[in-house]
């Protein structure tokens, strides 16, 4: 949507949200008006960026549907999550509006809350307080939440997953880059701990209306379903968290469109996905890796598609039913028929690292899930090929291993092992084609990140990367060989893997290179 179109659409909107223009603070994410729509734990999809995404809402905006809708800031291409940011902040204090403005804002919040509740069909159990802050204050609250809720070292370990798989540069400052990305996208968040909506003070009227509608859906979700508990970080549980995150954001997007456009079904899902991607790309810092951008938008776009599928099948009642029995994996989120069948994930044992020698120990492990696998593969191949290759996901587990240098505490060696089980041998072979396209068949001896080798056999795929060393000044250098990587790869392939209901079959495949991950910690 162009800026003139945005202004025209705003002129056709009811005056209900215009009072917010003065407060200028109600958008969950910022970005060009041309493409606001829904956005990423997991970290990737709550997945790769998942941990920080839980602290703030940076949705992509809502594009012009076929009527008076406009870009929804609450739907921007970033990966926000409405629930758990700052902790128990008092809604009164520095950064709050003066009394007159606060009364106007609270009156408008109540008015829009009633509209949102009617559209979504959830009760208003209590009022929602609001507070407007500067962008710096909002980001400070997000940082404080992450530092308080996420165990020390988790973000550093997530960086090693992405670096080892060449999804971010070896010297990329993952934590700083993540916050830079969030700073540009975040427009506000709803905090379950104090039932308060925190909003940025530099939003346009359109952004304010869109953000307000989106964030108030989160407030209603919290009142009926207790978001704080559902979105709490749990080590090793990233895929389940990513699925819940996507439901939360997808529902907020769908209800928001109902309010702003009249019906979410006027918004084409593929168009929304393109708008989100464009908005994120245009607003991202120049060096932001594609995988982080994709992770930011996934909860909104995948979640919206999921909720729309449920609504087509049985209206909001079908969505309510999912809240009573949440998806356990992003596979169930991406394939509603697998949710209906409650198809479980295959249990995969944590990869071991005895082959690397003494001193190496597992410091971080988690499940990527299909959504994160799809995002990772999209960095190696065309999006459609990535979706197809990830669709056969059955289960996985990765591990970051580390060795400390007793003589030099600033020197550490890292390596990554990732074991995946697919539904069929043909699915594993399809994933192998993506890996081969990116890394070739033979082990690669990389100058800074060390060896990388992969293999696909039957329904299983395994990838090992490293070891490599990081030193105090940021220098990264190889610390392993392909001979050692092949021995380790064989060890990883011997690890335990369970079965899904119905079992998985075997087959054959080849050997070669690497892939990607989603964050979490065990």
């Amino acid at each position: 949507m162009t800026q003139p179109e945005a202004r025209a659409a705003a002129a056709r909107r009811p005056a209900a949200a215009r009072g917010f223009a003065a407060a200028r603070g109600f958008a969950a994410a910022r970005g060009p008006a041309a493409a606001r729509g829904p956005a990423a734990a997991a970290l990737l999809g709550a997945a790769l960026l998942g941990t920080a995404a839980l602290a703030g809402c940076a949705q992509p905006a809502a594009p012009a549907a076929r009527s008076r809708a406009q870009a929804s800031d609450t739907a921007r291409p970033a990966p926000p999550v409405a629930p758990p940011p700052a902790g128990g902040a008092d809604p009164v204090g520095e950064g709050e509006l003066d009394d007159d403005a606060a009364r106007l804002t609270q009156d408008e919040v109540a008015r829009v809350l009633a509209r949102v509740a009617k559209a979504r069909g959830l009760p208003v159990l209590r009022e929602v307080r609001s507070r407007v802050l500067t962008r710096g204050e909002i980001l400070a609250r997000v940082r404080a939440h992450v530092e308080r809720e996420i165990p020390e070292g988790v973000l550093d370990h997530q960086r090693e997953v992405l670096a080892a798989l060449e999804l971010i540069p070896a010297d990329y400052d993952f934590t700083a880059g993540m916050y830079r990305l969030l700073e540009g996208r975040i427009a506000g968040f709803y905090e379950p701990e104090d039932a308060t909506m925190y909003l940025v003070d530099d939003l346009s009227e359109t952004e304010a209306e869109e953000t307000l509608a989106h964030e108030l859906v989160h407030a209603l979700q919290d009142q009926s379903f207790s978001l704080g508990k559902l979105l709490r970080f749990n080590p090793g549980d990233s895929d389940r968290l990513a699925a819940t995150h996507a439901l939360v954001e997808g529902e907020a997007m769908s209800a928001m469109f109902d309010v702003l456009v009249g019906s979410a079904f006027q918004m084409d899902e593929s168009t929304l996905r393109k708008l989100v991607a464009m908005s994120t790309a245009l607003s991202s810092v120049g060096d932001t890796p594609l995988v982080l951008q994709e992770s930011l938008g996934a909860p909104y776009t995948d979640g919206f598609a999921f909720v729309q599928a449920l609504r087509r099948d049985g209206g909001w009642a079908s969505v309510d039913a999912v809240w009573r029995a949440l998806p356990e994996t992003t596979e169930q989120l991406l394939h509603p028929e697998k949710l209906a069948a409650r198809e479980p994930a295959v249990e995969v044992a944590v990869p071991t690292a005895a082959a690397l020698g003494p001193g190496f120990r597992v410091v971080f492990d988690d499940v990527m899930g299909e959504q994160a696998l799809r995002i990772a593969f999209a960095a190696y191949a065309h999006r459609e090929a990535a979706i197809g290759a990830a669709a056969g996901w059955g289960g996985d587990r990765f591990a970051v291993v580390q060795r400390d240098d007793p003589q030099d505490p600033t020197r550490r060696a890292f390596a990554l092992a990732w074991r995946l089980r697919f539904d069929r041998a043909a699915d594993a072979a399809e994933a192998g084609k993506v890996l081969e396209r990116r890394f070739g068949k033979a082990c690669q001896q990389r100058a800074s990140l060390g060896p990388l080798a992969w293999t696909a056999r039957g329904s299983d795929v395994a990838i090992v990367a490293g070891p490599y060393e990081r030193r105090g000044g940021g220098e990264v250098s190889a610390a392993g060989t392909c001979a050692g990587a092949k021995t380790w790869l064989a060890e990883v392939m011997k690890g335990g893997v369970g079965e899904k209901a119905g079992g998985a079959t075997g087959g054959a495949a080849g050997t070669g290179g690497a892939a990607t991950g989603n964050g979490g910690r065990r």
Side-chain angles (χ1 to χ4, degrees):
M1 176 191 304
T2 64
Q3 289 182 334
E5 289 171 333
R7 286 193 292 270
R12 294 194 297 274
R13 284 199 168 125
R18 298 232 173 103
F20 282 107
R24 295 179 56 191
F26 299 88
R30 302 180 39 138
R36 307 239 178 84
L43 225 121
L44 298 178
L48 305 178
L49 259 190
T51 28
L54 296 179
C57 223
Q59 40 287 358
R66 295 186 191 72
S67 73
R68 61 188 176 103
Q70 212 172 84
S72 138
D73 230 24
T74 75
R76 293 217 189 146
V81 164
D90 187 287
V92 178
E94 181 183 355
E96 192 172 8
L97 302 175
D98 59 49
D99 289 344
D100 290 339
R103 280 195 293 273
L104 172 63
T105 298
Q106 193 56 48
D107 179 62
E108 294 294 344
V109 168
R111 208 174 307 174
V112 178
L113 181 62
R115 292 177 60 205
V116 171
K118 181 178 180 180
R120 171 56 184 88
L122 290 176
V124 178
L125 302 181
R126 55 185 176 272
E127 72 172 18
V128 179
R129 295 174 293 186
S130 62
R131 184 175 176 187
V132 176
L133 302 174
T134 66
R135 187 161 296 281
E137 289 171 326
I138 288 283
L139 189 64
R141 287 177 174 272
V142 171
R143 284 180 177 273
H145 172 78
V146 171
E147 291 172 3
R148 183 177 65 254
E149 301 295 331
I150 308 302
E152 184 178 0
V154 167
L155 295 182
D156 290 337
H157 295 145
Q158 288 183 344
R159 174 189 66 175
E160 302 308 338
V161 174
L162 300 177
L165 296 172
E166 300 182 18
L167 294 171
I168 63 174
D171 60 354
Y172 184 74
D173 189 332
F174 171 66
T175 302
M178 177 183 68
Y179 283 126
R180 283 199 306 272
L181 186 57
L182 287 176
E183 182 176 17
R185 303 302 302 154
I186 231 175
F189 60 80
Y190 170 77
E191 172 56 77
E193 187 170 334
D194 59 8
T196 299
M197 184 168 55
Y198 293 89
L199 304 156
V200 179
D201 68 352
D202 58 3
L203 305 170
S204 70
E205 180 178 348
T206 296
E207 292 172 334
E209 181 180 1
E210 294 162 351
T211 299
L212 181 60
H214 184 100
E215 295 306 318
L216 288 177
V217 177
H218 290 322
L220 293 174
Q221 291 169 333
D222 184 42
Q223 291 181 15
S224 289
F225 309 119
S226 299
L227 284 188
K229 289 191 254 185
L230 294 178
L231 290 167
R232 186 170 296 136
F233 175 80
N234 290 308
D237 201 25
S238 287
D239 189 45
R240 183 207 60 78
L241 184 60
T244 302
H245 180 193
L247 168 62
V248 168
E249 295 301 346
E251 178 179 283
M253 290 298 296
S254 184
M256 178 195 73
F257 282 128
D258 277 358
V259 170
L260 299 180
V261 185
S263 171
F265 292 101
Q266 294 191 53
M267 174 54 57
D268 177 77
E269 294 157 27
S270 62
T271 299
L272 178 63
R273 191 177 299 277
K274 292 175 183 176
L275 288 167
V276 168
M278 179 176 69
S279 177
T280 302
L282 290 175
S283 63
S284 295
V285 179
D287 66 345
T288 302
L290 179 61
V291 71
L292 298 188
Q293 296 181 42
E294 291 292 322
S295 298
L296 220 51
Y300 297 87
T301 54
D302 291 342
F304 180 68
F306 174 66
V307 170
Q308 291 300 93
L310 293 174
R311 291 184 63 186
R312 288 188 191 94
D313 183 56
W316 284 114
S318 290
V319 181
D320 292 338
V322 170
W323 279 104
R324 293 190 291 270
L326 294 169
E328 298 171 349
T329 64
T330 53
E331 177 187 49
Q332 293 179 352
L333 176 97
L334 296 170
H335 307 281
E337 72 279 5
K338 295 192 176 187
L339 174 66
R342 287 288 159 181
E343 181 176 319
V346 173
E347 291 292 330
V348 178
V350 178
T352 57
L356 293 181
F360 279 99
R361 70 190 192 284
V362 173
V363 294
F364 179 74
D365 74 270
D366 207 345
V367 174
M368 298 273 188
E370 183 177 338
Q371 186 186 59
L373 179 62
R374 174 189 289 188
I375 293 171
F377 276 3
Y380 301 151
H382 187 275
R383 173 177 166 75
E384 294 308 314
I387 291 174
W393 178 91
D396 78 88
R397 176 73 63 174
F398 69 84
V400 174
V401 299
Q402 176 180 317
R403 182 184 64 195
D404 300 324
D405 186 335
Q407 305 302 318
D408 183 357
T410 68
R411 181 178 177 181
R412 292 177 175 175
F414 295 96
L416 173 74
W418 188 13
R419 175 74 180 275
L420 302 99
R421 164 60 63 87
F422 288 84
D423 292 333
R424 304 172 304 152
D427 297 324
E430 189 171 1
K433 290 178 182 177
V434 173
L435 297 175
E436 181 179 342
R437 174 176 176 172
R438 175 63 181 83
F439 299 103
K441 290 185 177 181
C443 175
Q444 290 191 4
Q445 183 62 52
R446 302 173 296 178
S448 60
L449 291 170
L452 185 153
W454 66 272
T455 186
R457 186 170 64 245
S459 299
D460 296 306
V461 172
I463 302 155
V464 297
Y468 53 90
E469 287 188 348
R470 287 192 184 274
R471 297 180 181 169
E475 179 185 350
V476 182
S477 60
T481 65
C482 274
K486 291 176 182 177
T487 301
W488 188 23
L489 190 62
E491 176 187 341
V492 172
M493 283 294 282
K494 290 178 182 177
V497 176
E499 296 289 338
K500 281 190 178 183
T505 58
T511 57
T516 174
N518 179 9
R521 172 185 154 290
R522 187 185 175 98

